[in-house]
Amino acid sequence: MSKFKNFLTETGDSLINKRADALTSETKDAFEDEKRQVERKIRNIENEIVSMEDLSVRNTQTLVVGESLDTKKWVNQRINYALQLRDLKVELETITSLISEYFGE
């Protein structure tokens, strides 16, 4: 039987398995994409925190640490980052758990 005719006559378990494999791969890829996106957001926020916690002297001509630091703004931003990190880590944990549940990893 020709390959094309085989496509036309393919039914049953073979065809169902091919469709299931394709949908499984597509769905797993979508989960993994979401996971990578959340991991990237977490890294970005962690990098922002490192930057904002660097209050060291910027040059050798000054002895003033944290020059022109707006403490109220700094505290509010730090709290905001902490809350964002908490939420993103819960989201990442949830996505990872779902991947494990659905795909046995």
Side-chain angles (χ1 to χ4, degrees):
M1 183 181 302
S2 72
K3 186 174 183 179
F4 186 74
K5 187 172 182 180
N6 192 37
F7 291 150
L8 294 174
T9 59
E10 188 173 26
T11 60
D13 289 344
S14 175
L15 185 58
I16 289 170
N17 284 332
K18 282 183 180 178
R19 289 179 181 161
D21 288 344
L23 285 172
T24 298
S25 293
E26 187 176 333
T27 304
K28 185 177 179 188
D29 288 348
F31 268 117
E32 293 290 345
D33 290 345
E34 287 294 320
K35 181 179 176 184
R36 278 188 293 277
Q37 183 178 356
V38 172
E39 289 170 335
R40 190 174 310 114
K41 288 178 183 178
I42 289 171
R43 276 192 310 275
N44 289 341
I45 290 173
E46 288 172 340
N47 288 337
E48 289 294 326
I49 291 170
V50 168
S51 293
M52 75 180 292
E53 289 178 345
D54 180 9
L55 301 174
S56 61
V57 174
R58 297 290 182 217
N59 64 56
T60 58
Q61 306 302 315
T62 183
L63 298 177
V64 179
V65 176
E67 193 170 349
S68 68
L69 175 66
D70 181 346
T71 56
K72 180 72 173 162
K73 183 178 175 182
W74 190 94
V75 167
N76 286 336
Q77 185 60 52
R78 186 59 185 90
I79 291 169
N80 186 39
Y81 283 149
L83 294 172
Q84 287 179 41
L85 271 178
R86 179 203 60 199
D87 293 346
L88 286 168
K89 287 179 180 180
V90 168
E91 186 175 348
L92 180 60
E93 183 180 318
T94 302
I95 292 169
T96 302
S97 176
L98 286 169
I99 290 171
S100 179
E101 178 183 341
Y102 286 110
F103 304 102
E105 291 183 358

